[in-house]
Amino acid sequence: MYRHAAPRTIRAGNTGTIPATLKRALLVVALLVALPYARSRVYRFPAPVAFSGAHFLNPYADLKGQWLRANFHAHGRAWSGLTSGQQTDEDVVQAYRNLGYDVAGISNYEHISATLGADSLPIYEHGYNIGKRHQLAIGARRVEWFDFPFWQSTSHEQLVIDLVRQRAELVALAHPSVRNAYSTWNLERLTGYELVEVVNGQFADAAPWDAALSSGHAVWGLANDDGHDITDPLRMAIAWNMVNAPSASAADMIDALRAGHAYSVLRLNTHPEAEITELTGVEFKDRTLTITCTGAPSDFAFTGQNGTLRTIAPNTLTGSFTFAESDTYIRATIWSPRRMIFLNPIVRYDGVRLPTPVASVNRAATWLIRLAFVAVAAICVLVERGQA
């Protein structure tokens, strides 16, 4: 005869539960990660409005300087190598000087190089977020340390631009297409920046630029290497800016960039046997834009509102375009066998000054968001204490 064993009582232990100390640590980490968002602002953005007016601004009119070759985005060794810069700042500058550059900007992350001379152009790259929403602070006076490390709304992006702008003469949006850092929606609404990278290394994308221009934001283009290693052929002397300024001093370069007295160049690795195409003239008269070059015949593309290709003048050394009544701006791109050249746009305006859209802070919504953040944080702390 078999006896049935008495059923065993299974006691619930601590298996699968989170120790109180770990829960407390996780809460602290979560609050620290979320803390920057307590500084959020809510902005009212101006509605996108195309350029208009009976007058035209030509950034290449009455140039009185000399054409200087410049790169504004390159990295030396900083932060004990954490930012992947392979050479010292001095080595990077010397490498550009040896190639004939007049301005060799060092733009280390959150660091203004102090080794480039009193009259050099102070630049740094701002941003340490996962979305690669970075800005070049050109003519920087101090480093802005604040950023939103994770998700960013358009209002978050605007706050960062405003903060960087307070400590620099010019703000350029760096590599806006990388990870879709700045969407078309962003670029139609964000304000306070003067420049945008059209070329970053070997990658060119003018769509973000056209999104800004089509919304009435008079911003100028840049082309930069964004190199971390001067021995990398795809990130060294492949993209640069030709700036018309009296000298390479910081003040003259900033004034020229602000006025759009520059154009951007991307070196192509095709047709190395072809003659190099050089820009020789930009004239705007009687609503007609005429561009002349020397060297290999090229294709001249003229782009306008909403990034629409208006016309192409193929295989020539002279390209021209006459504004129609519907044209709000026109920018030219020259496709040559060995180079792409991006010119700043001719834009319509009222003859007094270019439009400067400004985003304003919605104070009521801003404080509501901040109070909600404090309330949620307080509730989390109280719940954790109650469970301890």
PDB file of all heavy atoms in Angstrom, residues 135-156:
ATOM      1  N   GLN A 135      25.924  71.363 -33.951  1.00  0.00           N
ATOM      2  CA  GLN A 135      26.050  72.715 -34.492  1.00  0.00           C
ATOM      3  C   GLN A 135      27.524  73.122 -34.461  1.00  0.00           C
ATOM      4  O   GLN A 135      28.256  72.764 -33.528  1.00  0.00           O
ATOM      5  CB  GLN A 135      25.247  73.728 -33.671  1.00  0.00           C
ATOM      6  CG  GLN A 135      23.782  73.379 -33.480  1.00  0.00           C
ATOM      7  CD  GLN A 135      23.571  72.382 -32.344  1.00  0.00           C
ATOM      8  OE1 GLN A 135      24.272  72.403 -31.345  1.00  0.00           O
ATOM      9  NE2 GLN A 135      22.595  71.490 -32.510  1.00  0.00           N
ATOM     10  N   LEU A 136      27.947  73.870 -35.466  1.00  0.00           N
ATOM     11  CA  LEU A 136      29.263  74.496 -35.438  1.00  0.00           C
ATOM     12  C   LEU A 136      29.090  75.896 -34.877  1.00  0.00           C
ATOM     13  O   LEU A 136      28.331  76.706 -35.426  1.00  0.00           O
ATOM     14  CB  LEU A 136      29.860  74.575 -36.842  1.00  0.00           C
ATOM     15  CG  LEU A 136      30.259  73.256 -37.510  1.00  0.00           C
ATOM     16  CD1 LEU A 136      30.798  73.527 -38.906  1.00  0.00           C
ATOM     17  CD2 LEU A 136      31.293  72.508 -36.684  1.00  0.00           C
ATOM     18  N   ALA A 137      29.777  76.173 -33.779  1.00  0.00           N
ATOM     19  CA  ALA A 137      29.785  77.505 -33.187  1.00  0.00           C
ATOM     20  C   ALA A 137      31.002  78.228 -33.738  1.00  0.00           C
ATOM     21  O   ALA A 137      32.139  77.933 -33.363  1.00  0.00           O
ATOM     22  CB  ALA A 137      29.843  77.419 -31.672  1.00  0.00           C
ATOM     23  N   ILE A 138      30.795  79.156 -34.666  1.00  0.00           N
ATOM     24  CA  ILE A 138      31.876  79.853 -35.362  1.00  0.00           C
ATOM     25  C   ILE A 138      32.038  81.241 -34.740  1.00  0.00           C
ATOM     26  O   ILE A 138      31.069  81.963 -34.552  1.00  0.00           O
ATOM     27  CB  ILE A 138      31.564  79.963 -36.863  1.00  0.00           C
ATOM     28  CG1 ILE A 138      31.398  78.559 -37.466  1.00  0.00           C
ATOM     29  CG2 ILE A 138      32.662  80.729 -37.592  1.00  0.00           C
ATOM     30  CD1 ILE A 138      30.965  78.553 -38.922  1.00  0.00           C
ATOM     31  N   GLY A 139      33.281  81.593 -34.428  1.00  0.00           N
ATOM     32  CA  GLY A 139      33.509  82.811 -33.668  1.00  0.00           C
ATOM     33  C   GLY A 139      33.046  82.624 -32.235  1.00  0.00           C
ATOM     34  O   GLY A 139      32.463  83.533 -31.630  1.00  0.00           O
ATOM     35  N   ALA A 140      33.336  81.443 -31.695  1.00  0.00           N
ATOM     36  CA  ALA A 140      32.850  81.095 -30.354  1.00  0.00           C
ATOM     37  C   ALA A 140      33.596  81.879 -29.276  1.00  0.00           C
ATOM     38  O   ALA A 140      34.819  82.031 -29.323  1.00  0.00           O
ATOM     39  CB  ALA A 140      33.020  79.600 -30.117  1.00  0.00           C
ATOM     40  N   ARG A 141      32.842  82.384 -28.313  1.00  0.00           N
ATOM     41  CA  ARG A 141      33.422  83.068 -27.166  1.00  0.00           C
ATOM     42  C   ARG A 141      33.569  82.135 -25.970  1.00  0.00           C
ATOM     43  O   ARG A 141      34.532  82.217 -25.227  1.00  0.00           O
ATOM     44  CB  ARG A 141      32.553  84.277 -26.794  1.00  0.00           C
ATOM     45  CG  ARG A 141      32.494  85.339 -27.885  1.00  0.00           C
ATOM     46  CD  ARG A 141      31.597  86.492 -27.490  1.00  0.00           C
ATOM     47  NE  ARG A 141      30.188  86.095 -27.424  1.00  0.00           N
ATOM     48  CZ  ARG A 141      29.372  86.105 -28.473  1.00  0.00           C
ATOM     49  NH1 ARG A 141      29.829  86.462 -29.675  1.00  0.00           N
ATOM     50  NH2 ARG A 141      28.107  85.747 -28.344  1.00  0.00           N
ATOM     51  N   ARG A 142      32.608  81.268 -25.804  1.00  0.00           N
ATOM     52  CA  ARG A 142      32.637  80.274 -24.728  1.00  0.00           C
ATOM     53  C   ARG A 142      31.919  79.025 -25.212  1.00  0.00           C
ATOM     54  O   ARG A 142      31.128  79.069 -26.154  1.00  0.00           O
ATOM     55  CB  ARG A 142      31.932  80.807 -23.467  1.00  0.00           C
ATOM     56  CG  ARG A 142      32.629  81.959 -22.776  1.00  0.00           C
ATOM     57  CD  ARG A 142      31.770  82.497 -21.630  1.00  0.00           C
ATOM     58  NE  ARG A 142      31.446  81.459 -20.655  1.00  0.00           N
ATOM     59  CZ  ARG A 142      30.517  81.589 -19.700  1.00  0.00           C
ATOM     60  NH1 ARG A 142      29.798  82.706 -19.641  1.00  0.00           N
ATOM     61  NH2 ARG A 142      30.291  80.632 -18.848  1.00  0.00           N
ATOM     62  N   VAL A 143      32.191  77.914 -24.550  1.00  0.00           N
ATOM     63  CA  VAL A 143      31.531  76.651 -24.886  1.00  0.00           C
ATOM     64  C   VAL A 143      30.185  76.580 -24.178  1.00  0.00           C
ATOM     65  O   VAL A 143      30.080  76.886 -22.984  1.00  0.00           O
ATOM     66  CB  VAL A 143      32.405  75.457 -24.479  1.00  0.00           C
ATOM     67  CG1 VAL A 143      31.619  74.143 -24.569  1.00  0.00           C
ATOM     68  CG2 VAL A 143      33.645  75.376 -25.364  1.00  0.00           C
ATOM     69  N   GLU A 144      29.164  76.204 -24.911  1.00  0.00           N
ATOM     70  CA  GLU A 144      27.855  75.910 -24.332  1.00  0.00           C
ATOM     71  C   GLU A 144      27.796  74.410 -24.056  1.00  0.00           C
ATOM     72  O   GLU A 144      27.948  73.600 -24.968  1.00  0.00           O
ATOM     73  CB  GLU A 144      26.737  76.325 -25.290  1.00  0.00           C
ATOM     74  CG  GLU A 144      25.349  75.894 -24.859  1.00  0.00           C
ATOM     75  CD  GLU A 144      24.979  76.429 -23.489  1.00  0.00           C
ATOM     76  OE1 GLU A 144      25.043  77.656 -23.270  1.00  0.00           O
ATOM     77  OE2 GLU A 144      24.629  75.591 -22.615  1.00  0.00           O
ATOM     78  N   TRP A 145      27.566  74.031 -22.815  1.00  0.00           N
ATOM     79  CA  TRP A 145      27.613  72.618 -22.427  1.00  0.00           C
ATOM     80  C   TRP A 145      26.258  71.934 -22.466  1.00  0.00           C
ATOM     81  O   TRP A 145      26.182  70.706 -22.487  1.00  0.00           O
ATOM     82  CB  TRP A 145      28.201  72.489 -21.018  1.00  0.00           C
ATOM     83  CG  TRP A 145      29.667  72.755 -20.988  1.00  0.00           C
ATOM     84  CD1 TRP A 145      30.291  73.933 -20.661  1.00  0.00           C
ATOM     85  CD2 TRP A 145      30.701  71.837 -21.335  1.00  0.00           C
ATOM     86  NE1 TRP A 145      31.649  73.794 -20.781  1.00  0.00           N
ATOM     87  CE2 TRP A 145      31.931  72.523 -21.189  1.00  0.00           C
ATOM     88  CE3 TRP A 145      30.714  70.511 -21.756  1.00  0.00           C
ATOM     89  CZ2 TRP A 145      33.156  71.914 -21.451  1.00  0.00           C
ATOM     90  CZ3 TRP A 145      31.933  69.909 -22.016  1.00  0.00           C
ATOM     91  CH2 TRP A 145      33.135  70.609 -21.864  1.00  0.00           C
ATOM     92  N   PHE A 146      25.195  72.700 -22.471  1.00  0.00           N
ATOM     93  CA  PHE A 146      23.874  72.069 -22.355  1.00  0.00           C
ATOM     94  C   PHE A 146      23.457  71.385 -23.654  1.00  0.00           C
ATOM     95  O   PHE A 146      23.692  71.887 -24.752  1.00  0.00           O
ATOM     96  CB  PHE A 146      22.826  73.128 -21.984  1.00  0.00           C
ATOM     97  CG  PHE A 146      21.455  72.555 -21.796  1.00  0.00           C
ATOM     98  CD1 PHE A 146      21.100  71.941 -20.611  1.00  0.00           C
ATOM     99  CD2 PHE A 146      20.525  72.600 -22.819  1.00  0.00           C
ATOM    100  CE1 PHE A 146      19.834  71.394 -20.443  1.00  0.00           C
ATOM    101  CE2 PHE A 146      19.266  72.057 -22.664  1.00  0.00           C
ATOM    102  CZ  PHE A 146      18.927  71.449 -21.474  1.00  0.00           C
ATOM    103  N   ASP A 147      22.808  70.231 -23.513  1.00  0.00           N
ATOM    104  CA  ASP A 147      22.216  69.536 -24.653  1.00  0.00           C
ATOM    105  C   ASP A 147      21.150  68.580 -24.142  1.00  0.00           C
ATOM    106  O   ASP A 147      21.125  68.227 -22.948  1.00  0.00           O
ATOM    107  CB  ASP A 147      23.284  68.761 -25.441  1.00  0.00           C
ATOM    108  CG  ASP A 147      22.836  68.434 -26.867  1.00  0.00           C
ATOM    109  OD1 ASP A 147      21.759  68.907 -27.281  1.00  0.00           O
ATOM    110  OD2 ASP A 147      23.558  67.711 -27.567  1.00  0.00           O
ATOM    111  N   PHE A 148      20.257  68.171 -25.027  1.00  0.00           N
ATOM    112  CA  PHE A 148      19.295  67.116 -24.731  1.00  0.00           C
ATOM    113  C   PHE A 148      19.863  65.822 -25.307  1.00  0.00           C
ATOM    114  O   PHE A 148      19.952  65.683 -26.530  1.00  0.00           O
ATOM    115  CB  PHE A 148      17.935  67.427 -25.370  1.00  0.00           C
ATOM    116  CG  PHE A 148      17.274  68.656 -24.822  1.00  0.00           C
ATOM    117  CD1 PHE A 148      17.319  69.859 -25.517  1.00  0.00           C
ATOM    118  CD2 PHE A 148      16.607  68.621 -23.609  1.00  0.00           C
ATOM    119  CE1 PHE A 148      16.714  70.998 -25.019  1.00  0.00           C
ATOM    120  CE2 PHE A 148      15.999  69.756 -23.093  1.00  0.00           C
ATOM    121  CZ  PHE A 148      16.048  70.952 -23.798  1.00  0.00           C
ATOM    122  N   PRO A 149      20.261  64.866 -24.471  1.00  0.00           N
ATOM    123  CA  PRO A 149      21.035  63.720 -24.974  1.00  0.00           C
ATOM    124  C   PRO A 149      20.246  62.716 -25.793  1.00  0.00           C
ATOM    125  O   PRO A 149      20.837  61.999 -26.600  1.00  0.00           O
ATOM    126  CB  PRO A 149      21.577  63.079 -23.694  1.00  0.00           C
ATOM    127  CG  PRO A 149      20.612  63.494 -22.620  1.00  0.00           C
ATOM    128  CD  PRO A 149      20.154  64.857 -22.999  1.00  0.00           C
ATOM    129  N   PHE A 150      18.943  62.657 -25.609  1.00  0.00           N
ATOM    130  CA  PHE A 150      18.159  61.631 -26.315  1.00  0.00           C
ATOM    131  C   PHE A 150      17.170  62.290 -27.275  1.00  0.00           C
ATOM    132  O   PHE A 150      17.572  63.011 -28.161  1.00  0.00           O
ATOM    133  CB  PHE A 150      17.474  60.716 -25.296  1.00  0.00           C
ATOM    134  CG  PHE A 150      18.460  59.991 -24.426  1.00  0.00           C
ATOM    135  CD1 PHE A 150      18.690  60.380 -23.113  1.00  0.00           C
ATOM    136  CD2 PHE A 150      19.205  58.927 -24.933  1.00  0.00           C
ATOM    137  CE1 PHE A 150      19.615  59.729 -22.316  1.00  0.00           C
ATOM    138  CE2 PHE A 150      20.138  58.255 -24.158  1.00  0.00           C
ATOM    139  CZ  PHE A 150      20.344  58.664 -22.849  1.00  0.00           C
ATOM    140  N   TRP A 151      15.910  62.040 -27.098  1.00  0.00           N
ATOM    141  CA  TRP A 151      14.911  62.571 -28.030  1.00  0.00           C
ATOM    142  C   TRP A 151      14.904  64.092 -27.993  1.00  0.00           C
ATOM    143  O   TRP A 151      15.075  64.719 -26.953  1.00  0.00           O
ATOM    144  CB  TRP A 151      13.540  62.022 -27.662  1.00  0.00           C
ATOM    145  CG  TRP A 151      12.426  62.599 -28.472  1.00  0.00           C
ATOM    146  CD1 TRP A 151      12.107  62.315 -29.761  1.00  0.00           C
ATOM    147  CD2 TRP A 151      11.494  63.603 -28.045  1.00  0.00           C
ATOM    148  NE1 TRP A 151      11.025  63.062 -30.165  1.00  0.00           N
ATOM    149  CE2 TRP A 151      10.632  63.859 -29.134  1.00  0.00           C
ATOM    150  CE3 TRP A 151      11.305  64.302 -26.854  1.00  0.00           C
ATOM    151  CZ2 TRP A 151       9.591  64.779 -29.057  1.00  0.00           C
ATOM    152  CZ3 TRP A 151      10.279  65.231 -26.780  1.00  0.00           C
ATOM    153  CH2 TRP A 151       9.433  65.456 -27.873  1.00  0.00           C
ATOM    154  N   GLN A 152      14.695  64.711 -29.177  1.00  0.00           N
ATOM    155  CA  GLN A 152      14.577  66.156 -29.264  1.00  0.00           C
ATOM    156  C   GLN A 152      13.397  66.531 -30.143  1.00  0.00           C
ATOM    157  O   GLN A 152      13.299  66.066 -31.279  1.00  0.00           O
ATOM    158  CB  GLN A 152      15.858  66.787 -29.833  1.00  0.00           C
ATOM    159  CG  GLN A 152      17.061  66.706 -28.912  1.00  0.00           C
ATOM    160  CD  GLN A 152      18.228  67.537 -29.410  1.00  0.00           C
ATOM    161  OE1 GLN A 152      18.067  68.417 -30.242  1.00  0.00           O
ATOM    162  NE2 GLN A 152      19.415  67.259 -28.886  1.00  0.00           N
ATOM    163  N   SER A 153      12.551  67.372 -29.609  1.00  0.00           N
ATOM    164  CA  SER A 153      11.484  67.956 -30.416  1.00  0.00           C
ATOM    165  C   SER A 153      12.039  69.190 -31.127  1.00  0.00           C
ATOM    166  O   SER A 153      13.179  69.607 -30.894  1.00  0.00           O
ATOM    167  CB  SER A 153      10.316  68.366 -29.512  1.00  0.00           C
ATOM    168  OG  SER A 153      10.706  69.452 -28.673  1.00  0.00           O
ATOM    169  N   THR A 154      11.228  69.800 -31.971  1.00  0.00           N
ATOM    170  CA  THR A 154      11.666  71.019 -32.644  1.00  0.00           C
ATOM    171  C   THR A 154      11.936  72.121 -31.622  1.00  0.00           C
ATOM    172  O   THR A 154      12.878  72.906 -31.773  1.00  0.00           O
ATOM    173  CB  THR A 154      10.617  71.481 -33.669  1.00  0.00           C
ATOM    174  OG1 THR A 154      10.283  70.389 -34.533  1.00  0.00           O
ATOM    175  CG2 THR A 154      11.141  72.624 -34.521  1.00  0.00           C
ATOM    176  N   SER A 155      11.142  72.174 -30.564  1.00  0.00           N
ATOM    177  CA  SER A 155      11.380  73.165 -29.510  1.00  0.00           C
ATOM    178  C   SER A 155      12.698  72.899 -28.793  1.00  0.00           C
ATOM    179  O   SER A 155      13.426  73.843 -28.440  1.00  0.00           O
ATOM    180  CB  SER A 155      10.223  73.160 -28.504  1.00  0.00           C
ATOM    181  OG  SER A 155       9.081  73.817 -29.020  1.00  0.00           O
ATOM    182  N   HIS A 156      13.017  71.631 -28.547  1.00  0.00           N
ATOM    183  CA  HIS A 156      14.318  71.308 -27.955  1.00  0.00           C
ATOM    184  C   HIS A 156      15.455  71.785 -28.854  1.00  0.00           C
ATOM    185  O   HIS A 156      16.440  72.376 -28.393  1.00  0.00           O
ATOM    186  CB  HIS A 156      14.439  69.796 -27.731  1.00  0.00           C
ATOM    187  CG  HIS A 156      13.521  69.261 -26.687  1.00  0.00           C
ATOM    188  ND1 HIS A 156      12.904  68.039 -26.808  1.00  0.00           N
ATOM    189  CD2 HIS A 156      13.102  69.777 -25.502  1.00  0.00           C
ATOM    190  CE1 HIS A 156      12.149  67.817 -25.750  1.00  0.00           C
ATOM    191  NE2 HIS A 156      12.255  68.855 -24.941  1.00  0.00           N
TER     192      HIS A 156
END
